[in-house]
Every structure is written in C-alpha cells, then in structure tokens.
Amino acid sequence: MGNYVTLSLETHLFFARIMKEHGLFLEAGFLCKDKEWIKKADWFRKNFEELLCDTVEVSNGRISRSVLDAGELVTEFTIAAENRTEKLSGVDINSNISKETKELQPFGNVRDNRNILRIVHGLNRRALQLLNGFIEFKESILAEVGKCRLYQANYPLLIEHILREAKLYRATVRKLMEGRDLSYQCIRDTEVFWNQIMMEHALFIRGLLDPSEEALIKTADDFAKEYKNLLEQAKRQDCRANELTKEILNETIKYSEFKAAGAKGILDCKILSVILPLLADHVLREANHYIRILTATIN
Ligand SMILES: [Fe+2]
C-alpha cells in the first residue's frame, strides 16, 4: 500500500501541475469576448491548482528522491516563469505551491498516519472527476475550432496534445485505483507516447518563435525530425528496453538542455517569440519526466 500512496502522490505532483498550466494556457488563449470559455478554463485551472496544493501538503517524506531530483515537479526556472507569466497574462498563479514543492523531502520519518490511505484515495477520486470534465472541455474546444466556430491562440495540435496528456493522467489514476502495477512494463508504449509529445513540442516551439529567430527554428526543426524518426523506430520494437531506449535517453538529455536554454532565454528576454515563460518551463519539465522514466527502465 505504501507504493499506492507514493505513486499516487508522485503522479499528482507532476500531472496536476501540468493540468493547471493547461488551464492557464487555454484561458490566456481565448479572445476577451469568449467569456464563458475563459470562465470554464479558469475553473479547471483553479481546481487542479487546489488538487496540487492538497497533494503537496501530504507529500513530505512520502515520495522518492528520484522524482524530487528529476526536475519534473519544479525547475530552477519555475517560480520566475510563474511570476512573469502571471504578470503577462493577468491570470493568478499560486507560486507558494512551487516553493513548498521545492522544500519537499524524500522518504523519511513520517508519522505513520492511517488517514493517509483515505486522503490519497480522495485525491485520486477528485483527480478522476476533474479529468473527466477537463477531457470533455478540451474535446469541445477542439471540435469548435475544427468547425471554425471558435478562434483561440493555441494550435489545434496543441489542444489535441494536451488532451492526450490528460487521458494518460486519467489512465494512470485508474490503474492506481484498480491496484494495478504502474511500472512501465511495456517501455515501447511509453516511448511511442512521449516521443510523439517531444516531437510536437519541437513543432510548437518552431512555430511560436519569432520568424527572425532562424538558428533556434533550425534547431527545433532538427529535434522534431529526430523525434519523428525515433517515434517510427519505437513503434517497431517489442516491450523491452533496448539500444533504442538508450538512444532516446541520450537525445532527450540533449533536448532537456535545449529547452532549459530556451526557458532561460525567454525569461531573460533574449528570445523573440509568442511563448509564455511558463510554457517554456512546462515543456522542460515534461522532458525531465521522460528522462526519469527512461533512466529507471534502463537501470
Ligand atoms: Fe506537453
């Protein structure tokens, strides 16, 4: 049961944050006249933020060092990116959650608290309920945009991309609640999912950079091509980790460095783009999350 608690908390610490940021990106992407869409996106943003806050509150001493050290929950840029994004977008961001996340300690002397199972179960149920609604919401945006009845600033592929991430989060929580093992037994499925995500990040970055940023556009393009190739290769593998897994890990380490440089450049106002600082940090965390999974699979 300790595993259930740990894996549930680690899942929410990563994914509830990702979801609250999706809420913000959606909210900031609508036109001022589309008040109902803005309100709905804001509702999900707030609710995932509360879920994350409640998760952080019970996570001290209950999660693994590898997750804390991965740079998938918070990075050196997160708080600055939150502050800047809050100013630029006018959307509230509770940065205390990031400060508290930074201070979390790995497994240690936590009081044995019998209530924790009940609390974690409650978090999982709340996440599932929120995700059902959020998935429906993202699908409705995609449908309206597809019929040219709604204009908003996010690429349709980005909506589809964040929809897939919400579905992965929901599938993960369901597995946890059914007591199924969460280990990444079929690394191929993980590689196919995340290689596509990594490829799309490169495509988004390429398309959101100012056209004058030629060198960065070229690098982003190269990453997109590389991940497209790795995605095709991953589809042809069996379930076990192999040489390709190592190749993907090496590529993703380079990619994480590129994204970190991008986040820094955007925060320092050295890169021209329409990328919100928090989006730059968000894609960096996802690369770091993937690196942690790949590393655990290989070792
Ligand atoms: Fe993503």
Side-chain angles (χ1 to χ4, degrees):
M1 265 314 175
N3 217 23
Y4 169 75
V5 168
T6 296
L7 292 173
S8 299
L9 295 175
E10 290 175 351
T11 298
H12 300 309
L13 287 175
F14 174 71
F15 270 117
R17 177 178 288 272
I18 292 294
M19 293 301 123
K20 89 179 177 94
E21 292 168 346
H22 289 171
L24 183 141
F25 303 144
L26 291 171
E27 182 172 356
F30 292 119
L31 296 180
C32 337
K33 73 170 186 65
D34 290 315
K35 291 192 179 57
E36 283 308 306
W37 290 98
I38 293 173
K39 226 168 96 185
K40 255 194 145 169
D42 190 65
W43 188 87
F44 284 110
R45 182 192 60 75
K46 263 194 216 137
N47 278 273
F48 277 108
E49 190 168 82
E50 278 166 25
L51 177 70
L52 179 61
C53 193
D54 294 346
T55 303
V56 173
E57 215 165 273
V58 294
S59 289
N60 202 35
R62 290 202 168 95
I63 54 173
S64 57
R65 177 171 288 283
S66 65
V67 169
L68 281 173
D69 291 348
E72 67 179 88
L73 307 181
V74 278
T75 73
E76 57 182 304
F77 310 111
T78 306
I79 293 171
E82 287 181 333
N83 294 339
R84 182 78 57 79
T85 300
E86 185 174 50
K87 281 202 187 97
L88 291 173
S89 67
V91 181
D92 291 343
I93 302 176
N94 179 358
S95 255
N96 282 330
I97 301 176
S98 303
K99 288 183 195 121
E100 282 163 18
T101 303
K102 275 197 148 174
E103 282 160 18
L104 287 178
Q105 296 295 318
F107 300 121
N109 307 324
V110 213
R111 281 171 293 126
D112 177 43
N113 180 357
R114 281 169 200 284
N115 275 335
I116 190 66
L117 260 184
R118 190 182 48 79
I119 294 169
V120 167
H121 202 62
L123 292 172
N124 285 343
R125 280 182 33 195
R126 250 167 84 193
L128 266 192
Q129 220 167 19
L130 279 174
L131 282 165
N132 286 335
F134 204 24
I135 285 167
E136 211 176 285
F137 180 58
K138 286 171 174 174
E139 281 170 342
S140 68
I141 300 171
L142 201 53
E144 289 304 293
V145 170
K147 288 177 200 145
C148 298
R149 291 200 296 230
L150 174 67
Y151 174 86
Q152 46 87 56
N154 293 300
Y155 286 127
L157 183 64
L158 187 133
I159 312 285
E160 201 191 302
H161 172 111
I162 64 177
L163 179 57
R164 263 185 263 121
E165 290 177 349
K167 285 181 177 170
L168 176 66
Y169 184 13
R170 183 171 67 180
T172 306
V173 177
R174 277 185 182 152
K175 269 190 207 164
L176 283 165
M177 292 187 82
E178 287 163 9
R180 278 154 65 194
D181 191 5
L182 242 209
S183 62
Y184 298 93
Q185 281 160 337
C186 189
I187 187 66
R188 184 205 44 228
D189 293 348
T190 304
E191 288 174 2
V192 168
F193 183 89
W194 286 105
N195 284 356
Q196 184 173 358
I197 293 287
M198 294 299 121
M199 175 189 77
E200 289 168 352
H201 285 171
L203 296 172
F204 300 145
I205 294 167
R206 181 190 72 180
L208 297 170
L209 281 164
D210 187 76
S212 65
E213 295 283 4
E214 287 176 30
L216 285 175
I217 290 173
K218 162 92 175 54
T219 312
D221 237 342
D222 290 343
F223 274 115
K225 281 185 201 132
E226 192 54 46
Y227 274 106
K228 187 173 189 181
N229 174 16
L230 292 170
L231 172 62
E232 290 315 313
Q233 286 189 61
K235 283 181 183 165
R236 295 194 294 269
Q237 307 297 309
D238 60 23
C239 271
R240 287 161 298 183
N242 54 25
E243 282 308 307
L244 181 67
T245 313
K246 288 185 195 155
E247 204 184 312
I248 295 169
L249 174 60
N250 288 334
E251 185 65 20
T252 309
I253 292 170
K254 278 192 265 167
Y255 197 30
S256 168
E257 286 163 6
F258 169 73
K259 285 172 165 179
K264 185 170 188 324
I266 287 170
L267 272 172
D268 292 346
C269 204
K270 295 261 164 62
I271 295 173
L272 285 175
S273 76
V274 290
I275 300 170
L276 280 172
L278 196 55
L279 178 62
D281 189 62
H282 177 105
V283 296
L284 170 61
R285 273 180 267 121
E286 288 186 12
N288 292 342
H289 173 74
Y290 190 23
I291 289 173
R292 200 249 309 159
I293 296 171
L294 289 168
T295 309
T297 313
I298 289 169
N299 294 330

